[in-house]
């Protein structure tokens, strides 16, 4: 932390010293294209090693120039280098100049396209944030690369106020979790691949297909209203200025995993292919299971990755067809060794286990982007993607478990063994058709449609539970589910469309326009599951290392066990556990934006949404005997939004945003379906109701130049009838979902970016040292009341508490050194993240909150491009390797550890070649 404070002080001192010198400012224009501005051109003063880049409007500013006479050099790919001699600088004054560039060896058309591809640069992201009317934070492809970010999940956690909780798939934004956020691709919504979550896992989207990611924390009429934290929009990558064909390969290890004898679930494959996801059992007297209860000794745990990027541009008469293809395969291994416990408020234990968990993760990606450009601003594009994500795990748990040994008087002398083999296989098919047309300078039309399909399977999840008694292991009797196999299938089809008509009220440069539009979305989910329980009438000896010696047809025929489903073994035995969701949204919107003068801009939006959501179920907790198990939400929402932007000066901007949104309970949160895990069980609550959200943001930005800025944001959110996952009063201490009281969230965010060193040489060389820091402080409070409408009894330990998953303090920082010269492009980055202690689960029935302890992470990434073709990379992630810890406070005040493990350090090396 001291290092970061020192760097900020150094930066401020540097800027203060610069005020005693002079400034060179101006604009770079394209002489051959009606003096249009040239964004991202490099400008520097010869002999000083000081320089900068132009912004979207071609403007530049170089601070800290000592008084004297200089020659300014301007460079841009495809243009002749321009020199401007005899530029006189005086102390405390600004010297202005204009640079008019001419195209060089490359055609003007090629150069214009090059300017577009630079929109994923750090400078472009700052300028986008600067010019945007809304409160938008973006991270571009170049920043992803230098920070060693592999996917969208890793990317957004580098943004102010965004964090990831261990054991929870999706991110928290300003303390608000998955249900309060939304995810879109190219501004069209995406379904979730996991019934536990509203949003698709961001890890699905690798950096290979990401041009940029926008995190919009302030609601606008163009967004769907089911959002309170943020909308996370991923913009897919497309072909740049020239054809490309690039192949990459990578490999690496996890320091904690490489020395282990790695185990894999029986029946899985190294490519993650699943031949028969459905249950093979049609007769409970036939043991026709295909996979073993004994895991296999797996392959050497070495990470591997392969990628291909290819793109080509075609001229079709006067128009252009851009084609871009990305394909990749990746595989990695993780090993965890730790403890997991359940502790009563008095310190008693119902579970005390050590565990070894082996996880193999493999994925494949294929994306094609076809873009047909008709003139300067008109286009039609198709984006098609296939993403396959497969996770396989084997977990071995040893120790005391009350459901296996119910004698708690001497738990230390008793032993239990639980093994869980699990495979989650998810496939996403994305089809998007996008278009944009400008009929004239006043009217434009933005159209988009998507058809997405999610297939999520959990094929043959296997759980064994044994008791160690008199030097031998025995099966558990009287609890059929202690040994079971589980099969589930989910399919979700999602249709969406948008239309946005923009009408400019004048042809002047000042903004004055109306936008009229609408959205339609229909989401259908079908989920079914079968669970087969092995019922033992009496404890039966079992060889832990050869469970198939007991679990077989002979033992079934001999009556050692019988097989039951969740519906028993009668006529309904093969009726699956199901729930079906159908949600339809119609929306209309109007946006009014006006620039009253050069300083004040206003945007008022109004969105109307009509929603109908039906969930029907027939589950292990609630049989649909009379066809009346249905939950219907039918709501209409009028959602206003206001965005104000006031330019105090050209470099100082104030923004204000206010809005109303809502939060719907999700399909699985409503369906009373019991999902069992080693560590917890959860089920839905059919009596949930939506929440209403009120949002207020105030933001100040100060831009020192195109690479240096400071931003401060204050925000307040109120959530009425907040939705929470809590432990309900039941014999099994299960988790469910309830409406609680109102919740308030307030906080402040700081973002700082600075180029500590900018050196430009006359030989086209460049040296940069960039520093970035963002800090978020958050205060959250919610009233914890047992709402009678939800039909569940919940006794909260505290009358009010913090929000689950909300970190009071978040810090992200990075330091990047970059060198460019003839034949070498070298980048090296040090990236740090820290979050403070936060609530993992709210306390109930006298138990205090389960807390996730704060921890830091530190990554080092270096990349080098040698010549025009060869690229190398080295990544060292999780250098500090801190322990993930969950703790619980006892009534005595003593804090006890209930879950802990380390993840190990990941070391990887990559090489790519561009033809």
């Amino acid at each position: 932390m001291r290092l970061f404070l020192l760097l900020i002080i150094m930066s401020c001192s540097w800027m203060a010293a610069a005020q005693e010198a002079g400034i060179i400012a101006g604009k770079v224009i394209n002489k051959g294209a009606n003096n249009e501005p040239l964004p991202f051109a490099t400008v520097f003063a010869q002999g000083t090693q000081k320089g900068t880049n132009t912004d979207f409007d071609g403007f530049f500013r170089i601070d800290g120039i000592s008084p004297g006479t200089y020659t300014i050099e301007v460079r841009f790919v495809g243009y002749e280098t321009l020199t401007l001699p005899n530029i006189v600088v005086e102390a405390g004054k600004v010297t202005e100049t204009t640079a008019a560039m001419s195209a060089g060896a490359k055609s003007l058309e090629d150069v214009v396209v090059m300017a577009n591809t630079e929109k994923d640069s750090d400078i472009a992201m700052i300028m986008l944030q600067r010019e945007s009317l809304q409160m938008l934070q973006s991270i571009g492809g170049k920043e992803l690369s230098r920070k060693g970010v592999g996917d969208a999940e890793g990317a957004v956690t580098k943004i102010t106020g965004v964090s990831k909780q261990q054991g929870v798939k999706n991110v928290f934004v300003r303390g608000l979790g998955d249900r309060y956020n939304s995810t879109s691709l190219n501004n069209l919504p995406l379904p979730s691949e996991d019934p536990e979550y509203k949003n698709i896992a961001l890890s699905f989207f690798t950096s290979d297909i990401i041009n940029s990611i926008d995190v919009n924390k302030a609601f606008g009429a163009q967004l769907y209203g089911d959002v309170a934290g943020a909308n996370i929009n991923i913009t897919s990558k497309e072909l740049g200025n020239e054809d490309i064909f690039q192949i990459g390969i990578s490999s690496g290890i996890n320091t904690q995993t490489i020395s282990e004898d790695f185990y894999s679930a029986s029946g899985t494959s190294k490519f993650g292919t699943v031949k028969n996801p459905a249950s093979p059992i049609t007769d409970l007297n036939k043991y026709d299971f295909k996979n073993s209860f004994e895991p296999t000794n797996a392959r050497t745990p070495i990470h591997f990755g392969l990628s291909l990027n290819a793109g080509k541009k075609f001229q079709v008469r006067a128009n252009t067809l851009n084609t871009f293809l990305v394909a990749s395969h990746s595989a990695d291994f993780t090993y965890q060794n730790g403890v997991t416990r359940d502790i009563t408020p008095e310190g008693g234990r119902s579970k005390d286990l050590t565990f070894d968990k082996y996880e193999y993760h493999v994925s494949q990606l294929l994306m094609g982007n076809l873009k047909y450009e008709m003139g300067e601003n008109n286009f039609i594009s198709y984006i098609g993607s296939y993403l396959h994500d497969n996770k396989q795990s084997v977990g071995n748990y040893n120790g005391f478990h009350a459901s296996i040994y119910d004698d708690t008087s001497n738990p230390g002398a008793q032993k239990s063994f639980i093994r869980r083999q699990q495979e989650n296989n998810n496939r996403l098919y994305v089809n998007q058709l996008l278009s944009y047309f400008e009929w004239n300078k006043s009217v434009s039309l933005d159209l988009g449609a998507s058809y997405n399909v999610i297939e999520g399977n959990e094929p043959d999840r296997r759980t064994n539970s044994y008791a160690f008694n008199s030097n031998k292991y025995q099966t558990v009797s009287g609890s059929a589910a202690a040994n079971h196999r589980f099969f589930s299938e989910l399919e979700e089809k999602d249709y969406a469309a948008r239309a946005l008509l923009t009408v400019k009220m004048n042809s002047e440069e000042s903004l004055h326009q109306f936008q009229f539009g609408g959205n339609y979305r229909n989401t259908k989910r079908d989920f079914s599951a079968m669970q087969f329980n092995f019922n033992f009438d009496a404890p039966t000896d079992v060889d832990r290392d050869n469970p198939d010696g007991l679990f077989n047809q002979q033992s079934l025929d001999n009556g050692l066990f019988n097989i039951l489903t969740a519906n028993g073994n009668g006529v309904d035995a093969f009726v699956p556990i199901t729930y079906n969701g159908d949600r339809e949204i119609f929306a209309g919107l109007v946006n009014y934006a006006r620039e009253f003068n050069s300083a004040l801009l206003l945007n008022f939006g109004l969105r109307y949404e009509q929603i109908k959501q039906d969930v029907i179920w027939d589950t292990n907790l609630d049989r649909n005997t009379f066809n009346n198990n249905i939950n219907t939400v039918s709501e209409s929402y009028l959602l206003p939004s206001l965005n104000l932007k006031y330019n105090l000066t050209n470099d100082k901007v104030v923004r204000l945003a206010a809005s109303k949104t809502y939060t719907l309970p999700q399909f699985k949160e409503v369906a009373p379906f019991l999902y069992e895990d080693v560590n917890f069980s959860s089920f839905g609550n059919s009596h949930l109701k939506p929440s209403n959200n009120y949002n207020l943001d105030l933001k100040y930005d100060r831009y020192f130049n195109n690479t240096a800025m400071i931003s401060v944001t204050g925000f307040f959110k109120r959530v009425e009838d907040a939705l929470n996952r809590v432990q309900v009063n039941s014999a099994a201490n299960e988790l469910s979902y309830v409406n609680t009281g109102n919740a308030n969230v307030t906080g402040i965010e700081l973002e700082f970016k600075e180029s500590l060193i900018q050196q430009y040489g006359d030989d086209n060389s460049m040296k940069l040292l960039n520093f970035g820091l963002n800090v978020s402080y958050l205060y959250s409070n919610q009233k914890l009341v047992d709402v009678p409408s939800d039909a569940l009894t919940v006794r909260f330990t505290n009358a009010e508490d913090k929000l689950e998953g909300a970190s009071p303090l978040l810090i992200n920082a990075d330091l990047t050194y970059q060198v460019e010269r003839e034949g070498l492009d070298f980048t090296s980055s040090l990236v740090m993240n820290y979050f403070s202690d936060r609530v993992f689960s709210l306390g109930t029935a006298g138990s205090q909150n389960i807390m996730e302890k704060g921890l830091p992470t530190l990554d080092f990434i270096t990349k080098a491009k040698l010549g025009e073709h060869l690229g190398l990379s080295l990544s060292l992630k999780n250098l500090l390797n801190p322990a993930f810890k969950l703790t619980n406070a006892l009534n005595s005040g003593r804090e006890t550890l209930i879950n802990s493990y380390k993840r190990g350090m990941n070391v990887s090396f990559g090489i790519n070649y561009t033809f």
Side-chain angles (χ1 to χ4, degrees), residues 340 353-355 357 395-399 416-418 420 678-679:
T340 179
L353 302 170
T354 61
F355 69 86
K357 188 173 183 179
N396 295 326
Y397 300 80
N398 288 277
S416 305
F417 175 76
I418 301 172
R420 185 180 176 96
V678 174
N679 296 319

Side-chain angles (χ1 to χ4, degrees), residues 43 65 85 92 99 112 114 120 127 145 185 277 294 314 340 355 435 515 552 577 686 720 740 747 783 795 814 910:
V43 184
I65 303 293
V112 172
M114 178 63 185
D120 66 347
M127 295 313 303
S145 176
L185 178 68
E294 176 64 20
F314 300 92
T340 179
F355 69 86
S435 64
Q515 289 182 321
N552 55 41
I577 299 166
S686 61
E720 295 181 344
T740 57
K783 302 296 182 183
R795 292 187 291 111
D814 63 275

